Amino acid sequence: MVKPDFFWGFYSEGIAIGTVENSFGFEVVPDMDGAVYDGNKFYSIIDTGSTALVISVLYFEPLIENLFAYAGIDDWKFDSGIVLTKCKYELPSLFFDIDGKWVEARPQDYMYDFEGNGRNCMLFIMPASSGMNILGMPLHVDYYSVHDPEKGTVSWAPHKDSPKGTIKTGPPPTGKRLLRSSSTEVKKRLSPVITLIVVIFMAVLSAITWEKWFIPWIDKRKPSTRMRKIYSASFFVFMMLFTVYAMFPVVRAIVDTDEDEGSGKISTA
C-alpha cells in the first residue's frame, strides 16, 4: 500500500542483504533536515524511471559496507558517486521491505559491466542527498509489477521464467540497524561550506594582521615605497601559502573528504 501523495511512496522497515533473515532496520535521525520517518520506518519512492537504487546518504555508506562485508570482498572503491568493483565477484541479493513483503534485487540487476569486457563493473546503487530512498529498475527486473492508482497499490510477482522466487512475507528487521553514516558523503557535502568559511576567516585575519601589526612594523623601518610594496606583497603571499598548505589539510582531515576512506580498493589486476 503506497502513501496518498504525488509519488508511489511508502514507508520501509529496512533492507536485507543475502537473505531476508539478515535484515537491517533504519536508525532514526531526527535532526536531519528533510528526512521522512513514520516511527522507525523510512520513506521510499518506487520509480520505474530510475535506473538505480538510490539510497539516502544517511544509509548509503553502511549499506555498501555491509554488502561487501557479507560477500567477503574488499576489492572495491567509491569514486565520483559510483561504486566500482570486479564483475567476476559474486555479490548477494538485496531485499527491500515494502509493506511487510521482501522484494528482491539480484546482483545481475544492480551490477553493470560499463566497459563491456567483463572486467570492471559499477553498481546501480547510488547515493542521494535526500531524506528518502528512490527504488528504481533493479527492483523490477524479472517481476511483473502492477501500479494501481485507484487502490493506491503496487504489486510484484515473478514471471514464469523468473529466477526469483515467490515474494516472501516478513520477518521484519530486528536488532540490527543501518547506522547513520560517519559519513563520507554527509561530511563531503559540508566540505565546500567549511572551505569557504576558512577562506573568509583567513582573508579577514590577513587584513587585520596586515593593518594592525604588519604596517606598524614596516613603518618603524622607514622603507622606500618600493620596499614597502614588496613587504606587503610578501606578507599576503605568505598568508595565502599558509592557508593552502597548512589550513586546508587540517580542514580536509576534519571533514574527512577522502572518498576512499572506509572503502575497499579496486585492484588493477
Side-chain angles (χ1 to χ4, degrees), residues 98-127:
I98 302 177
D99 198 23
K101 307 292 193 299
W102 291 103
V103 182
E104 181 182 7
R106 302 173 75 221
Q108 295 90 330
D109 306 334
Y110 65 75
M111 294 180 72
Y112 175 63
D113 177 9
F114 62 92
E115 293 178 333
N117 57 14
R119 183 181 174 86
N120 295 317
C121 276
M122 62 178 285
L123 302 191
F124 281 140
I125 307 173
M126 300 178 178

Side-chain angles (χ1 to χ4, degrees), residues 24-265:
F24 297 79
F26 298 105
E27 179 192 38
V28 177
V29 187
D31 59 332
M32 174 64 178
D33 292 340
V36 184
Y37 295 93
D38 181 5
N40 62 350
K41 298 180 181 180
F42 190 60
Y43 187 68
S44 300
I45 292 173
I46 301 163
D47 183 9
T48 56
S50 173
T51 59
L53 302 169
V54 182
I55 307 299
S56 168
V57 291
L58 292 173
Y59 306 111
F60 174 79
E61 184 178 343
L63 175 62
I64 294 300
E65 289 176 348
N66 279 284
L67 175 70
F68 281 97
Y70 183 93
I73 296 169
D74 61 3
D75 187 16
W76 63 279
K77 73 175 180 179
F78 180 70
D79 184 23
S80 301
I82 297 174
V83 178
L84 301 172
T85 190
K86 298 297 184 185
C87 299
K88 65 182 180 181
Y89 294 141
E90 295 183 5
L91 295 178
S93 289
L94 291 173
F95 298 85
F96 292 83
D97 169 76
I98 302 177
D99 198 23
K101 307 292 193 299
W102 291 103
V103 182
E104 181 182 7
R106 302 173 75 221
Q108 295 90 330
D109 306 334
Y110 65 75
M111 294 180 72
Y112 175 63
D113 177 9
F114 62 92
E115 293 178 333
N117 57 14
R119 183 181 174 86
N120 295 317
C121 276
M122 62 178 285
L123 302 191
F124 281 140
I125 307 173
M126 300 178 178
S129 299
S130 66
M132 66 185 73
N133 297 330
I134 302 173
L135 307 181
M137 281 307 297
L139 203 65
H140 294 79
V141 177
D142 289 319
Y143 284 122
Y144 287 121
S145 61
V146 178
H147 294 63
D148 189 331
E150 294 185 1
K151 295 181 179 179
T153 60
V154 179
S155 304
W156 282 266
H159 58 73
K160 68 174 184 176
D161 297 320
S162 174
K164 299 178 179 178
T166 303
I167 293 175
K168 298 180 180 180
T169 301
T174 53
K176 292 189 292 186
R177 292 280 185 270
L178 289 176
L179 301 178
R180 180 180 187 173
S181 298
S182 54
S183 163
T184 301
E185 275 301 300
V186 172
K187 290 176 182 176
K188 182 181 174 183
R189 292 190 310 163
L190 295 176
S191 178
V193 176
I194 296 176
T195 299
L196 178 60
I197 292 172
V198 171
V199 170
I200 294 173
F201 172 78
M202 290 303 297
V204 172
L205 178 64
S206 297
I208 293 174
T209 304
W210 180 75
E211 181 180 359
K212 299 295 185 181
W213 177 80
F214 197 74
I215 289 298
W217 180 83
I218 292 177
D219 289 341
K220 289 179 181 180
R221 283 152 181 78
K222 302 185 183 334
S224 64
T225 301
R226 179 172 176 274
M227 289 304 299
R228 188 185 183 91
K229 292 179 179 179
I230 291 175
Y231 283 144
S232 295
S234 299
F235 170 79
F236 284 106
V237 168
F238 169 79
M239 293 301 292
M240 180 185 69
L241 293 175
F242 179 79
T243 301
V244 172
Y245 292 105
M247 294 300 294
F248 282 173
V250 172
V251 172
R252 284 194 292 268
I254 293 173
V255 300
D256 190 16
T257 55
D258 183 356
E259 291 179 336
D260 290 332
E261 182 172 343
S263 302
K265 305 293 183 179

